[in-house]
Amino acid sequence: MTARLMVFATPHDGMDEEYNRWYTDVHIPEVLTIPGVVSCERHRLDRGGPDEERYLAVFDLDGDPATILAELRARSMDGRMTMSTASDPARTRVTVWSPL
């Protein structure tokens, strides 16, 4: 593993079930087809404030994170990746973490 892609997200109000179904059944399998994305695990926030994102996806990356992110963005923009109306881009934050 060269880095971890951390996706903090909250779906649109009232759409958690649809969001989680899409993320698990559609989004993760599509992201895992990107070269360099090797695995994913998901987490739900148990405690936090009302403004914190409710879900976290942790993708392990093996390769140049900038190249992998560029491919992820390209697939999201050109339709090769299925997007969900349950996902709220305004409440989604993507970060990349490298091991020390």
Side-chain angles (χ1 to χ4, degrees):
M1 178 205 58
T2 57
R4 286 205 165 114
L5 174 67
M6 314 285 271
V7 181
F8 301 87
T10 297
H12 289 290
D13 291 340
M15 300 187 84
D16 285 59
E17 186 176 328
E18 180 182 337
Y19 174 81
N20 286 315
R21 189 176 326 109
W22 162 75
Y23 212 100
T24 299
D25 297 340
V26 178
H27 191 59
I28 290 172
E30 288 182 350
V31 173
L32 289 174
T33 67
I34 296 172
V37 180
V38 296
S39 66
C40 179
E41 61 181 40
R42 292 195 65 220
H43 303 269
R44 179 189 68 242
L45 180 67
D46 285 332
R47 284 196 227 160
D51 294 330
E52 292 185 75
E53 294 88 357
R54 291 196 304 260
Y55 299 102
L56 167 64
V58 181
F59 292 91
D60 285 335
L61 308 180
D62 186 15
D64 176 46
T67 301
I68 295 166
L69 282 174
E71 181 63 18
L72 178 61
R73 275 189 223 99
R75 291 182 186 201
S76 296
M77 298 300 291
D78 69 14
R80 287 180 286 161
M81 193 161 288
T82 307
M83 303 312 290
S84 171
T85 57
S87 182
D88 185 351
R91 297 169 77 188
T92 300
R93 188 167 45 100
V94 177
T95 59
V96 177
W97 297 70
S98 297
L100 294 175

